[in-house]
């Protein structure tokens, strides 16, 4: 192909103007048909319809050239337009169709920037076209003639194709490496030849046999080279630099279009330069942001691919390819579809890094695979979600497998010297009773999995009543995200008082959700949902912010108050937690004693060493630590020995039964004595009557809180309670 082009160009330069059978027919026609042949072979090799349309476009142009040259019969030119223009003009819709077919399978990966680039490029090119072709339109005298319209159509269609190609190349993965640039270069050469031809035709200066004739052929050759390079590079041409140069196209188009408008209004050159610079900077900023988002998306896709390689499991795409065929083959037989979701994986991934998260997924994958048979299908759907298709199995077999999978993951995993315990929730959907296709089974298993998480059952088989529950859960999750962003979470406060004197020693902050549909919600209604969605860190920060803001307000009012705030178990893996809390306290000018953090015993269960480090970091910064709901866990005494804590809060289950159960009373009294021997303050939760409060005072309990004293209330009501209680205590004390 390149040899034919070289011979044709040399012949044109040697021969000069005018028709020459040797140059125009015997050299020009092979040079025109060779690109069509190259593109046709590329389409045949790749079995690619897009390339087939491109090959047809090149063939249509070559056919038009063949008709044009063979019809000259020694004349210098044919009347314009001629039947040859049909072949020439067919080139453009065929090329555009080829690009469309090329983009169609990739439409899910198309970003909005593709449309933006195409529109901006087209408008910028059109504005420049108006300036370039204005002499032709003016010479036509009013509305352009049919011949002028046909002549103008060539460069206009060239620039439309070029703009679409530029937009396509801006998305990583759609351009094909170097050959994408070759395609655009070919179209640019083509456009330049068309513009030059339109001018010469209008001023009657076009003659056959000039080097201009080789411009179209050179453009055809470059487009054919793109097609050939496309089949040779294939998908391997996927790289981070793909499309990196194309932001210049919409930027230049924007600046050019704006420049044309400014020139049309007669603005002086300095103002014109400022306008062009501003337009270029704005366009560059937009494109930089879009390019950054594309790079982040590409990096995430590559990281997921790397994780798939490490785990050795099929991915979501493979599942969607293989599972339907397996289900079709199982018609008449039972199958079970299991969806597994690892607990607290997001917190581990975010705090310890993606490399630790990847290694965790590798170990999880190995344990899951050991529990399956050779015919069972397993895939990683992404993140910490796995799917299992269990063949020839019903509900009983699926539940047995779910129990085996959960048991396999119950043993701690050691990464970076840290023992991590990863639980798993399993949702089960049955084939064919609950769905005949993969999409339905996946949706119902997902609903069942979240029900297992909600009720902490570990595994759940989908039932018809789960449907409405699943929809409500998704709706609540979206509303919770909005609540965190728009400040719908509020805090109520419950006082902690001296068990003997009744003097207020501090308050505990308890989160509430002021829900727009359901009203005021207690934490049990949404904490688990936040944990599942990976929102606990955001919720913790929200609670700490509100609690410290209120403490600062009380401090300004002359009422220094220690506010206790609960931290979730997921806070365990956040090594920066002590520094972040200390910074929040310092920002508000508060003393470190203004905040106490409360943790439950499950805070320590995943990794006691890391928990001790975090708690030690808090205490080193002057922040006191309390264990909430003490006595409901499994290793309470070991925690008292190993962990740096200041306060122990007895669970309400002990306090409620204390007055009527001697054994319960003995446990409370002995726990208070034990805590005092370790230098800890003891707080009794759930005090609901005066007898319990008096008994705790006799046992030496330091503080108490409960409905008998005051239920959790908003800050304003708590202020009223402070005022009333203080006045009553002063009245009972009598005159000094």
């Amino acid at each position: 192909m390149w040899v034919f082009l070289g011979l044709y160009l040399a012949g044109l330069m040697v021969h000069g103007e005018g028709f020459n059978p040797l140059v125009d027919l015997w050299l020009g026609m092979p040079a025109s048909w060779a690109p069509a042949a190259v593109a046709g072979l590329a389409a045949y090799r790749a079995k690619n319809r897009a390339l087939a349309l491109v090959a047809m476009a090149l063939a249509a142009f070559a056919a038009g050239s063949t008709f044009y040259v063979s019809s000259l019969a020694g004349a210098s030119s044919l009347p314009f337009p001629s039947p040859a223009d049909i072949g020439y003009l067919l080139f453009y819709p065929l090329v555009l169709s080829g690009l469309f077919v090329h983009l169609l399978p990739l439409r899910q990966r198309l970003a909005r920037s593709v449309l933006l680039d195409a529109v901006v490029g087209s408008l910028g090119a059109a504005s420049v076209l108006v300036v370039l072709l204005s002499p032709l339109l003016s010479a036509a005298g009013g509305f352009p003639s049919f011949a002028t319209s046909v002549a103008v159509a060539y460069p206009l269609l060239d620039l439309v194709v070029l703009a679409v190609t530029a937009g396509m190349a801006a998305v990583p993965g759609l351009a094909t490496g170097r050959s994408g640039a070759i395609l655009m270069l070919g179209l640019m050469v083509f456009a330049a030849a068309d513009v030059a031809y339109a001018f010469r035709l209008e001023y009657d200066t076009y003659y056959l046999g000039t080097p201009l004739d080789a411009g179209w052929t050179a453009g055809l050759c470059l487009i054919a080279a793109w097609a050939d390079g496309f089949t040779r590079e294939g998908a391997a041409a996927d790289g981070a630099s793909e499309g990196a140069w194309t932001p210049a196209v919409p930027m230049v188009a924007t600046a050019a279009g704006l420049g044309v408008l400014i020139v049309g209004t007669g603005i002086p050159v300095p103002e014109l330069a400022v306008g062009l610079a501003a337009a270029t900077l704005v366009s560059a900023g937009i494109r930089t942001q879009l390019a950054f988002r594309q790079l982040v998306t590409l990096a995430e896709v590559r990281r997921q691919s790397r994780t798939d390689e490490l785990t050795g499991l099929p991915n979501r795409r493979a599942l969607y390819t293989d599972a339907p065929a397996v289900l079709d083959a199982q018609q008449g037989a039972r199958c079970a579809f299991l969806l597994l979701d690892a607990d607290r994986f997001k917190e581990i991934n975010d705090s310890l890094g993606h490399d630790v998260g990847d290694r965790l997924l590798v170990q999880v994958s190995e344990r899951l695979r050991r529990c399956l048979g050779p015919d069972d299908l397993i895939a990683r759907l992404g993140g910490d979600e796995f799917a299992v298709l269990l063949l020839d199995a019903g509900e009983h077999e699926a539940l047995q497998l779910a129990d085996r999978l959960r048991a396999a993951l119950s043993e701690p995993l050691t990464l970076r010297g840290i023992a991590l315990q990863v639980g798993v929730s399993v949702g089960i959907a049955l084939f064919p009773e609950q769905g005949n296709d993969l999409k339905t089974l996946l949706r119902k298993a997902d609903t069942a999995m979240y029900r297992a998480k909600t009720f902490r059952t570990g595994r759940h088989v989908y039932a018809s009543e789960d449907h409405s529950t699943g929809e409500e859960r998704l709706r609540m999750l979206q509303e919770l995200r909005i609540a965190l962003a728009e400040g719908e979470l509020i805090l109520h406060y419950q006082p902690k008082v001296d068990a003997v004197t009744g003097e207020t020693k501090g308050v505990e902050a308890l989160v509430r959700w002021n829900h727009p549909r359901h009203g005021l919600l207690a934490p049990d209604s949404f904490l688990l949902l936040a944990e599942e969605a990976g929102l606990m860190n955001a919720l913790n920060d929200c609670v700490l912010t509100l609690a410290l803001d209120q403490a600062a307000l009380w401090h300004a009012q002359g009422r220094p108050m220690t506010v206790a705030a609960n931290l979730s178990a997921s806070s365990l893996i956040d090594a920066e937690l002590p520094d972040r809390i200390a910074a929040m306290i310092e920002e508000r000018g508060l003393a470190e004693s203004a905040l106490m953090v409360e943790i439950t015993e499950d805070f320590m269960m995943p990794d006691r060493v890391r928990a001790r480090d975090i708690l030690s970091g808090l205490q080193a910064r002057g922040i006191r630590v309390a264990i909430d709901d003490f006595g409901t866990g499994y290793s309470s005494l070991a925690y008292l020995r190993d962990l740096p804590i200041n306060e122990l809060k007895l669970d309400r289950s002990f306090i409620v039964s204390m007055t009527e159960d001697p054994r319960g009373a003995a446990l409370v009294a002995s726990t208070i004595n034990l805590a005092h021997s370790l230098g800890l303050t003891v707080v009794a939760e759930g005090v609901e009557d005066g007898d319990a409060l008096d008994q705790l005072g006799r046992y030496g309990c330091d503080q108490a809180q409960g409905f008998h004293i005051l239920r959790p209330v908003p800050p304003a009501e708590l202020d009223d309670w402070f005022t009333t209680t203080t006045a009553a205590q002063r009245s009972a004390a009598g005159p000094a």
Side-chain angles (χ1 to χ4, degrees), residues 325-347:
V326 174
L327 292 175
D328 290 341
Q330 294 292 316
Q331 293 298 333
R334 301 177 307 162
C335 293
F337 186 83
L338 288 75
L339 184 66
L340 294 77
D341 183 80
D343 299 329
R344 298 175 183 168
F345 171 76
K346 186 179 187 301
E347 287 79 5

Side-chain angles (χ1 to χ4, degrees), residues 24 35 47 115 225 311 389 400 417 446 476 525 566 607 664 673 677:
D24 298 313
K47 302 295 188 291
L115 180 60
T311 60
L389 184 59
Q400 285 185 328
D446 183 67
M476 285 282 286
S525 304
N566 293 275
D607 184 23
N673 291 331
S677 67

Side-chain angles (χ1 to χ4, degrees), residues 191-260:
D194 279 338
V195 171
Y197 173 72
F199 272 98
R200 289 202 171 200
L201 190 69
E202 181 64 25
Y203 295 109
D204 199 23
T205 58
Y206 172 73
Y207 298 97
L208 188 67
T210 65
L212 173 61
D213 296 331
W216 292 292
T217 307
L220 294 176
C221 290
L222 288 168
I223 295 171
W226 165 78
D228 182 66
F230 179 85
T231 59
R232 294 181 187 278
E233 294 177 15
D238 184 46
S241 63
E242 290 180 19
W245 52 273
T246 53
V249 175
M251 285 192 293
V252 171
T254 301
L258 193 62
V260 168

Side-chain angles (χ1 to χ4, degrees), residues 300 303-304 341-358 360-361 364 382-385 420-423 450 453 477 481 484 529-539 569-574:
E300 178 62 21
R303 194 185 67 78
Q304 291 287 355
D341 183 80
D343 299 329
R344 298 175 183 168
F345 171 76
K346 186 179 187 301
E347 287 79 5
I348 295 173
N349 203 42
D350 291 345
S351 298
L352 301 183
H354 290 303
D355 56 333
V356 175
D358 288 345
L360 177 65
L361 290 176
V364 169
D384 58 346
E385 284 192 337
L420 299 173
Q421 198 166 23
V422 180
Y450 278 106
K453 279 183 175 288
L477 176 58
R481 295 182 191 276
L484 287 169
L529 190 64
E531 189 81 48
E532 294 170 1
L535 299 175
M536 284 307 299
N537 285 340
L539 194 146
S570 59
S571 302
L572 166 69
I573 57 177
D574 187 0

Side-chain angles (χ1 to χ4, degrees), residues 484-722:
L484 287 169
E486 299 186 357
E488 293 178 6
L489 298 183
I490 60 175
L491 295 184
H492 283 191
Y493 297 88
Q494 187 175 40
K496 300 192 295 184
V497 303
D498 188 288
V500 177
T501 66
E503 180 186 358
T504 302
K505 296 296 184 180
V507 296
E508 180 181 0
L510 300 164
V511 66
R512 300 288 187 266
W513 182 3
N514 193 10
H515 195 280
R517 291 188 295 119
H518 301 300
L520 196 65
L521 297 180
D524 290 344
S525 304
F526 59 88
L527 286 185
L528 180 60
L529 190 64
E531 189 81 48
E532 294 170 1
L535 299 175
M536 284 307 299
N537 285 340
L539 194 146
N540 282 335
D541 289 345
C542 176
V543 170
L544 288 172
T545 299
L546 293 173
L548 289 172
D549 286 345
Q550 185 60 49
L553 181 60
W554 280 327
H555 181 79
Q557 294 172 351
R559 186 183 292 136
M561 191 81 62
T562 298
V563 179
N566 293 275
L567 292 181
S568 67
S570 59
S571 302
L572 166 69
I573 57 177
D574 187 0
E576 299 179 356
L577 180 68
D579 288 333
R580 193 165 70 250
I581 293 179
M584 295 174 71
I585 295 174
E586 185 178 357
E587 286 174 4
R588 291 161 177 81
L590 295 171
E592 290 78 3
S593 59
L595 179 69
M596 173 179 285
V597 296
E598 294 187 4
I599 59 173
T600 55
E601 294 183 42
D602 62 348
F603 182 96
M604 281 75 71
M605 288 182 66
D607 184 23
R608 189 178 304 177
V609 175
R610 191 171 181 85
R612 183 172 60 245
D613 292 341
I614 291 176
L615 297 183
S616 298
L618 289 170
Q619 284 209 338
R621 292 159 178 81
I623 301 165
R624 303 178 70 213
V625 179
I627 289 188
D628 198 11
D629 302 331
F630 181 80
T632 58
Y634 300 100
S635 306
S636 302
L637 294 179
Y639 293 152
L640 292 180
R641 179 194 65 195
D642 296 340
L643 298 176
I645 58 177
N646 307 100
E647 184 174 283
L648 185 151
K649 302 188 71 173
L650 289 173
D651 186 69
R652 68 181 306 275
S653 60
F654 292 100
I655 308 304
V656 170
S657 62
M658 178 184 62
T659 57
E660 299 177 358
D661 182 6
R663 291 169 62 88
L667 281 173
V668 171
S670 61
T671 302
I672 292 173
N673 291 331
L674 174 62
H676 284 166
S677 67
L678 296 174
L680 304 179
T681 301
V682 180
V683 180
E685 297 181 289
V687 177
E688 298 182 355
D689 56 66
D691 292 339
L693 182 60
D694 292 340
Q695 191 170 346
L696 288 167
R698 292 194 300 271
Y699 290 159
C701 183
D702 300 292
Q703 299 173 21
Q705 69 180 98
F707 278 24
H708 173 68
I709 301 165
L710 184 68
R711 62 182 177 82
V713 295
E717 291 187 36
L718 185 61
D719 288 339
D720 294 340
W721 180 86
F722 283 146

Side-chain angles (χ1 to χ4, degrees), residues 102 168-169 173-181 226 229-230 233-234 237-238 242:
H102 173 54
M168 182 185 75
L174 297 187
T176 52
R178 241 178 0 180
S179 61
W226 165 78
F230 179 85
E233 294 177 15
D238 184 46
E242 290 180 19

